[in-house]
Amino acid sequence: MNIAHLLSATRKVYALIPRPSSETRLWSIQLDGLSSKDIKTAAKSLRESRKKLATALKDIPELKVSELHRNLAMMLGARSFDHLRQIEPDLESFLCKNGMTHPIDLITCNKNPFISLTAQQISERIFKSNLPVPKRVFTGVGSRFFMADGVGTLDLQQVSKIKCNYIDETIDWTNEAPNEIVLTAPHNRQISLTRRDVLLHAYSFNGVIPGFNLIGDSLVNPMLRPIEHRLYNATDKDMEQAERIFQLFRQEMESSDDGWLEVITFPELPNIAFLKGKNGDFDWVIKDQRNKQYSGNSYKHIFKNDELPSAMRSSEFDAFCYFKRDIWNEFVEHEAEKRHYIKGGTIANWPGYRKLMLKELVASKTYILPPNQEPAIAGDFITHKLSDDRYLMVSPLITIGAFWDFYEESKMRIHRSELLGGNGQPLEMNLLCVNNPEENNDLPASVTWYDAVAFCRYYELKTELPVRLLTIEEWKQVSPEPKLSIEQLMESEMVDLEEHRCIVDQFNKLSCFSKMNSGNPVLRFGENLHWTYNSEKLSFLENSDFGEWLFDYTGGYAPAANALTGESLNWGAIERDLCPATSTMRYKGMKTGFRLCYLAKSEK
């Protein structure tokens, strides 16, 4: 076996290297392996991706081959590229001597997405945590426990004869004879399950998943530090039960060598940690490793960078988090989430890890917010004061007439049928069904989230104002006091639909979910429009079947706020009950509009 194959990557590996012309600016580069041949390939790929027309690559200092080779080799811990080539035979002998002959992914093969680690997690625990390097780490790959699935609380109740909500009693039952075989795995008849197996599968969300992390020592040997459970806002009883359940999982882990990887380092290349499995299998992680390539455009599946509103392009903070080399991300996330709940936060208003980490890193002075570069107050927007010299400028709802003006001028109209959203679904095509030009053009448009974003860019190019959609937090600040709770709305809907609905179908009948499941419904506004205003006289449509798209998009879904309830158009928490970004919500007999905003500063 040659050294290039022996050191090949078994999954996509991205690493940070200093640019040759700067020690502070970094590049993210993909590595196909750790050999000198892989270094050359990575440097060549980087040069090809950075080519500029009419510019000789040799004239760009940071793209000189020798400089790239040196920095890539030093990233692995070598003194130079020549040093890396010189020690390759020694490294090959070292691997073979330690029984590492078969490179294979021993980190991400786990079938359960909730009980798995990433290469970056392991890399940061070894190189960034300032904790002793563990002798072994548990990923679960190859463990008998992960070969069984389809086992749940009903199975536990059946074999234990104890109701599944009596957690302490079932733990006691398990501890009486943890290794007693009581069940055969439903999807793999060759696997016999013990009392411990069945309980751990049934209560994985109660104790296994919260403890399956590298913050504490729950997955390493020797176990010098306590288990750190990623349970938040939990009662003392919940924490006690999680501890008992994970102790059983730890027993399961230690009952076999399967799933454990020995951590071995090669002194000449201290920035590599080899992970030795069984039968010659091995894996590796490197210092400053990343799970994916950095992209300044989170929406590149549908928008090119110049098609995005400038305010929606990846922020300086996103780049900071990706390229900052001395952050232990898993630990910072954990501390940030703990702080959220300590300060009175709830699951309903959980803002996501990005915002939590921003607050945490600003509070610890690890990250300093950049100075505001905001335009002066301008445009047909309503002013909402944030501080003595900063304002949130918010538009009324964008009208049907304004949207069609944009649509006729925009190339979005031409390419729209070819686009797929972040959930892999095509955009809802027939916007005429919810934006009839014969209707009052001054009423709110109903569009997909992607159409709303495209409109923002169109408006920015026309006015030079950095407009975007409101965030959840901003919408809650400017929206009027809601009239009904979700519970009250659900009760009233059963009694009197006409009280709160404003959208009718082509037969002038109120829309409802059951009527929207078939055919190609045409929706328009009826006469029952309830308008309300906030303290700054900004208008809101206060009906149960109309929502407003907001900024906080994730994985093909986005929040749509309902002014009547102050919550999601989907009748749930606005932060959690998201709507498909490819839809106008017509399939539910609803309409979803949008408004623009931008941050401004006083001219004083």
Side-chain angles (χ1 to χ4, degrees), residues 313-582:
R313 294 169 193 164
S314 283
S315 69
E316 192 173 307
F317 178 67
D318 294 328
F320 173 86
C321 287
Y322 187 91
F323 289 102
K324 184 69 172 173
R325 292 194 288 180
D326 56 358
I327 290 180
W328 182 11
N329 284 277
E330 188 176 22
F331 177 79
V332 174
E333 280 185 1
H334 181 50
E335 292 299 304
E337 192 154 10
K338 284 198 299 185
R339 189 187 298 269
H340 169 73
Y341 290 102
I342 289 172
K343 290 191 172 182
T346 64
I347 293 175
N349 62 18
W350 187 78
Y353 282 119
R354 182 188 175 280
K355 289 184 178 179
L356 288 177
M357 286 188 69
L358 175 59
K359 292 179 180 179
E360 186 71 17
L361 295 175
V362 168
S364 65
K365 298 183 179 180
T366 304
Y367 179 72
I368 300 174
L369 290 169
N372 296 317
Q373 296 181 345
E374 296 160 356
I377 296 173
D380 298 325
F381 289 72
I382 306 297
T383 302
H384 296 76
K385 189 173 183 179
L386 299 176
S387 63
D388 288 341
D389 63 344
R390 296 186 69 230
Y391 299 87
L392 179 65
M393 310 300 295
V394 188
S395 79
L397 289 162
I398 301 303
T399 64
I400 293 174
F403 179 77
W404 284 126
D405 288 344
F406 145 74
Y407 197 70
E408 290 303 314
E409 296 179 30
S410 169
K411 64 179 180 181
M412 183 85 168
R413 173 176 58 88
I414 301 171
H415 301 297
R416 204 170 176 280
S417 61
E418 305 168 4
L419 302 177
L420 294 177
N423 58 1
Q425 298 299 311
L427 274 62
E428 185 175 323
M429 289 308 302
N430 196 344
L431 294 178
L432 278 171
C433 285
V434 283
N435 297 286
N436 191 336
E438 297 178 2
E439 200 170 3
N440 183 346
N441 271 351
D442 292 329
L443 290 173
S446 180
V447 300
T448 73
W449 185 86
Y450 296 106
D451 292 311
V453 170
F455 185 97
C456 289
R457 180 58 175 163
Y458 158 82
Y459 193 91
E460 180 179 17
L461 291 174
K462 284 185 65 175
T463 64
E464 297 186 352
L465 292 173
V467 296
R468 55 171 171 80
L469 303 178
L470 287 164
T471 65
I472 292 173
E473 188 174 1
E474 289 167 343
W475 187 87
K476 287 186 172 184
Q477 288 176 344
V478 303
S479 61
E481 192 72 23
K483 293 289 194 302
L484 293 175
S485 67
I486 296 289
E487 291 75 17
Q488 290 171 323
L489 178 61
M490 292 176 69
E491 292 173 3
S492 65
E493 287 286 328
M494 297 176 187
V495 178
D496 189 358
L497 284 172
E498 298 185 14
E499 175 84 29
H500 305 295
R501 290 193 179 275
C502 68
I503 297 171
V504 297
D505 60 21
Q506 60 264 48
F507 306 108
N508 205 36
K509 293 183 179 180
L510 284 165
S511 309
C512 63
F513 177 76
S514 61
K515 293 181 181 179
M516 294 302 107
N517 282 332
S518 60
N520 193 27
V522 175
L523 302 183
R524 64 178 179 83
F525 288 107
E527 299 178 357
N528 193 29
L529 296 179
H530 292 178
W531 289 96
T532 187
Y533 301 85
N534 70 4
S535 58
E536 305 298 331
K537 307 303 180 185
L538 181 66
S539 59
F540 289 78
L541 186 53
E542 195 178 57
N543 290 85
S544 65
D545 43 7
F546 181 82
E548 300 182 25
W549 287 119
L550 301 181
F551 182 95
D552 309 72
Y553 167 99
T554 179
Y557 295 83
N562 177 254
L564 178 66
T565 63
E567 294 292 355
S568 171
L569 183 62
N570 259 347
W571 292 16
I574 193 171
E575 294 88 351
R576 311 290 282 189
D577 288 279
L578 308 180
C579 300
T582 53

Side-chain angles (χ1 to χ4, degrees), residues 153 156-157 160-167 169-170 203:
T153 53
L156 177 61
Q157 184 169 303
S160 68
K161 311 303 181 187
I162 302 171
K163 290 185 178 180
C164 57
N165 57 324
Y166 291 157
I167 297 177
E169 287 80 355
T170 51
Y203 291 149

Side-chain angles (χ1 to χ4, degrees), residues 60-272:
I60 305 175
E62 59 187 19
L63 289 177
K64 287 184 176 179
V65 173
S66 59
E67 298 293 315
L68 290 174
H69 288 175
R70 183 198 65 183
N71 280 15
L72 283 163
M74 291 177 69
M75 171 198 65
L76 302 179
R79 295 191 296 273
S80 66
F81 183 61
D82 287 340
H83 177 230
L84 178 66
R85 289 192 295 185
Q86 290 168 6
I87 64 174
E88 277 187 345
D90 295 335
L91 177 57
E92 182 176 9
S93 299
F94 173 83
L95 292 174
C96 294
K97 181 180 178 181
N98 282 277
M100 293 183 280
T101 56
H102 180 216
I104 189 172
D105 190 341
L106 295 174
I107 297 173
T108 56
C109 296
N110 197 325
K111 294 189 298 182
N112 191 327
F114 298 105
I115 313 178
S116 62
L117 299 175
T118 68
Q120 185 174 340
Q121 275 180 282
I122 297 175
S123 169
E124 291 184 356
R125 169 60 197 256
I126 293 173
F127 295 110
K128 303 296 180 181
S129 67
N130 292 321
L131 297 172
V133 175
K135 292 182 179 179
R136 296 198 304 169
V137 62
F138 183 83
T139 65
V141 176
S143 169
R144 185 187 66 88
F145 176 80
F146 292 107
M147 295 178 185
D149 57 8
V151 181
T153 53
L154 291 180
D155 299 293
L156 177 61
Q157 184 169 303
Q158 178 183 355
V159 297
S160 68
K161 311 303 181 187
I162 302 171
K163 290 185 178 180
C164 57
N165 57 324
Y166 291 157
I167 297 177
D168 284 319
E169 287 80 355
T170 51
I171 294 174
D172 292 338
W173 169 81
T174 301
N175 282 325
E176 290 173 3
N179 296 313
E180 179 189 353
I181 295 174
V182 293
L183 191 67
T184 300
H187 301 304
N188 191 336
R189 296 295 176 183
Q190 296 180 343
I191 298 179
S192 299
L193 301 178
T194 64
R195 289 191 184 191
R196 184 171 59 219
D197 293 329
V198 178
L199 179 132
L200 292 173
H201 280 286
Y203 291 149
S204 60
F205 281 91
N206 300 73
V208 179
I209 292 173
F212 203 92
N213 62 71
L214 293 172
I215 304 167
D217 281 359
S218 54
L219 302 179
V220 304
N221 254 340
M223 190 175 180
L224 305 176
R225 299 164 65 248
I227 299 166
E228 192 73 32
H229 298 280
R230 297 198 69 167
L231 275 179
Y232 308 100
N233 210 25
T235 65
D236 291 342
K237 187 66 175 176
D238 291 335
M239 296 300 293
E240 179 189 343
Q241 290 175 343
E243 183 73 18
R244 295 186 71 193
I245 292 169
F246 202 89
Q247 289 296 345
L248 285 166
F249 184 67
R250 184 76 191 196
Q251 291 175 20
E252 178 69 24
M253 290 162 53
E254 293 178 344
S255 66
S256 167
D257 286 333
D258 295 336
W260 284 97
L261 304 177
E262 185 181 353
V263 181
I264 300 175
T265 56
F266 180 59
E268 295 277 5
L269 295 173
N271 293 347
I272 306 173

Side-chain angles (χ1 to χ4, degrees), residues 297-315:
N297 181 359
S298 302
Y299 315 97
K300 61 184 178 182
H301 59 280
I302 197 164
F303 293 116
K304 296 177 182 177
N305 205 50
D306 61 359
E307 294 172 338
L308 271 179
S310 59
M312 290 186 66
R313 294 169 193 164
S314 283
S315 69

